[in-house]
Amino acid sequence: MSEAITTRFAPSPTGYLHIGGARTALFNWLLARKNQGRFVLRIEDTDVQRSSGEMTRAILDGMHWLGLDYDLGPFYQSQRLELYRSYIRQLIDQKQAYYCRCSPEDVENMRKIAREKGLKPKYSGKCRELGLGPGRDTVIRLKAPLEGQTIFHDLVKGAMAVDNSQLDDFVLERKDGTPTYNLAVVVDDIEMNITHILRGDDHINNTPKQILLYRALDMAPPLFGHVPMILGPDKKKLSKRHGALSVTAYREMGYLPEALINYLVRLGWAYRDEEIFSMEDLLKKFSLENLGSSASVFDLNKLNWLNSHYIKESDARRLTPILKEHLSPDLPPYDQEYLEKIIPLLQPRASTMQEMAEMAQFFLVPDQELVLDQKAVDKFLTSEARQYLGEIGAMLQQVEHFDRNSLEQALKDYIEEKEISFKAVAQPLRVALTGKTASPGIFETMEVLGKESCLNRLFRLHEID
């Protein structure tokens, strides 16, 4: 492909950056980066009442977290209104657009009459040839062709054709002087030299209208590709109950950006039978040819599987600041070095960093504040088990090197001396030290907790019923 490829992501800041938008951004980013092109970020904030600075910041933060950098922007449509008006004046001057004084009620009545006749419900063209000028209650409409077809090749769906008789003279400028979505988008895409547009197929009805605008402006349209929507497991439109949350929410739940990127790209794109892709892999392998034309189903279990993979593969030092974000602020101060010792024990067990933070809790609470699961206490901390643990505590005081191998050997010697099984002390020891019945390996856990904490936790058992 040409090096001149320029793609864009153009979110509206009326909501956070959600899964569908992030996938659109990713596909456009990959197409530009794969072809040494440019990626543009544009904030479509002309809906002043619903747009907010908070949402804009969340979109920018989400893009940054995902690693989707941009070459130009962010551009804000709200700052480009005069540019849009200049294009509208050009269309008026060239007789490609006209003023219309029909009220919304008039237009709705036209649509009603068309429906009753079995026709496409649309504006009738009443003011098309009246030669009206500007007025307080006028809008400006495109003078669309009445015959023929609008044909384009969709990069995902293939050949597409729409009869122009099905389209109407849609509004370019509202009566308050603000441009409509289709006008602003086309002007921006022209001004920003956009060559390829990948977007959700909920936009496919806008494409013929936008192509008509390009023709009216005597400009070549970009190439369009419409990717199918993401569905929930029930094959219905993705909603919050399925996982249609913001990128920020996934970060707060403890997902890693590379896991979310990997998951998003597989919602509508495939390469052979591979499932795991680093960003480097994607930049080598991404192509338009492998975009799917059928809807993708969101599967949280798959995302969790990918996230657990990336957690396992990550360096503990890289995960340390992320783990800190998820730990309770009520915990006492802890140092970086201690967290770096904890993380390798939890990496094989955690699907998210939030899960890891919950698993790490027992390492970080003060020894006297460790909460023991009552069911585990009732089952495993019998009077006999408590006696064993008291003796083990006394024995551990004599262990000089408090490391995994030394601890394992010391406990082995104790078990042989008492002529009991490892099972008789393993779970009681785990419950006493961690408060629960599931944890990383007991000797690795003891080594990280350290001698002082292990002894404190064992010797406090006489205080616990």
Side-chain angles (χ1 to χ4, degrees), residues 311-331:
I311 287 175
K312 290 185 186 79
E313 294 294 312
S314 293
D315 184 88
R317 284 173 294 181
R318 184 253 168 149
L319 294 180
T320 301
I322 303 175
L323 178 60
K324 281 184 177 181
E325 294 176 7
H326 295 278
L327 292 171
S328 169
D330 299 329
L331 291 170

Side-chain angles (χ1 to χ4, degrees), residues 5-263:
I5 281 181
T6 302
T7 66
R8 48 82 159 171
F9 177 51
S12 173
T14 56
Y16 293 100
L17 177 60
H18 285 260
I19 288 296
R23 182 188 66 164
T24 296
L26 175 59
F27 285 163
N28 283 283
W29 185 90
L30 286 170
L31 180 59
R33 293 286 175 263
K34 171 72 180 292
N35 295 282
Q36 295 78 50
R38 295 188 304 175
F39 178 59
V40 178
L41 178 61
R42 184 171 75 227
I43 305 297
E44 299 190 339
D45 59 346
T46 52
D47 187 342
V48 177
Q49 291 185 337
R50 296 177 60 221
S51 298
S52 76
E54 177 191 354
M55 297 302 178
T56 299
R57 287 190 294 274
I59 290 168
L60 297 177
D61 289 346
M63 295 279 288
H64 177 73
W65 181 68
L66 290 171
L68 302 180
D69 58 331
Y70 37 92
D71 304 294
L72 295 172
F75 295 102
Y76 295 87
Q77 285 190 332
S78 60
Q79 299 172 7
R80 299 164 64 82
L81 297 180
E82 191 52 45
L83 174 66
Y84 306 139
R85 291 182 184 122
S86 71
Y87 272 79
I88 293 170
R89 286 195 294 270
Q90 176 187 334
L91 289 167
I92 287 284
D93 292 344
Q94 296 175 349
K95 310 299 184 186
Q96 298 285 354
Y98 61 93
Y99 290 96
C100 170
R101 64 188 175 199
C102 296
S103 67
E105 293 75 19
D106 292 335
V107 175
E108 182 51 44
N109 191 51
M110 294 172 193
R111 290 172 178 160
K112 179 182 177 183
I113 292 171
R115 286 191 199 97
E116 290 172 351
K117 294 180 178 179
L119 302 174
K120 178 81 173 180
K122 63 178 187 175
Y123 175 68
S124 68
K126 178 180 178 180
C127 296
R128 183 179 173 106
E129 304 298 341
L130 295 183
L132 300 175
R136 188 179 63 180
D137 293 320
T138 59
V139 299
I140 297 176
R141 294 180 179 275
L142 179 73
K143 187 176 283 189
L146 301 176
E147 299 176 340
Q149 289 185 315
T150 297
I151 300 171
F152 66 99
H153 179 81
D154 192 289
L155 296 169
V156 178
K157 299 178 178 296
M160 306 288 288
V162 177
D163 288 339
N164 291 334
S165 61
Q166 299 298 300
L167 305 174
D168 65 0
D169 291 354
F170 56 92
V171 175
L172 304 178
E173 183 180 280
R174 304 179 186 93
K175 65 180 181 179
D176 63 2
T178 58
T180 57
Y181 165 78
N182 282 310
L183 183 282
V185 164
V186 168
V187 171
D188 282 336
D189 288 340
I190 290 171
E191 290 286 321
M192 297 170 192
N193 298 309
I194 304 300
T195 63
H196 293 67
I197 296 172
L198 298 177
R199 56 190 181 186
D201 61 8
D202 55 328
H203 279 284
I204 200 161
N205 289 337
N206 287 319
T207 303
K209 297 178 182 180
Q210 291 172 10
I211 290 173
L212 291 182
L213 260 175
Y214 279 99
R215 290 177 182 168
L217 292 165
D218 198 25
M219 300 293 296
L223 299 176
F224 294 92
H226 296 87
V227 292
M229 301 299 286
I230 303 171
L231 303 179
D234 56 4
K235 305 297 175 68
K236 294 181 180 178
K237 183 180 178 181
L238 190 66
S239 64
K240 286 187 178 181
R241 64 190 171 88
H242 296 128
L245 305 174
S246 70
V247 167
T248 303
Y250 282 98
R251 179 179 184 177
E252 291 171 351
M253 290 189 291
Y255 291 92
L256 299 180
E258 58 267 42
L260 198 54
I261 285 284
N262 193 154
Y263 184 68

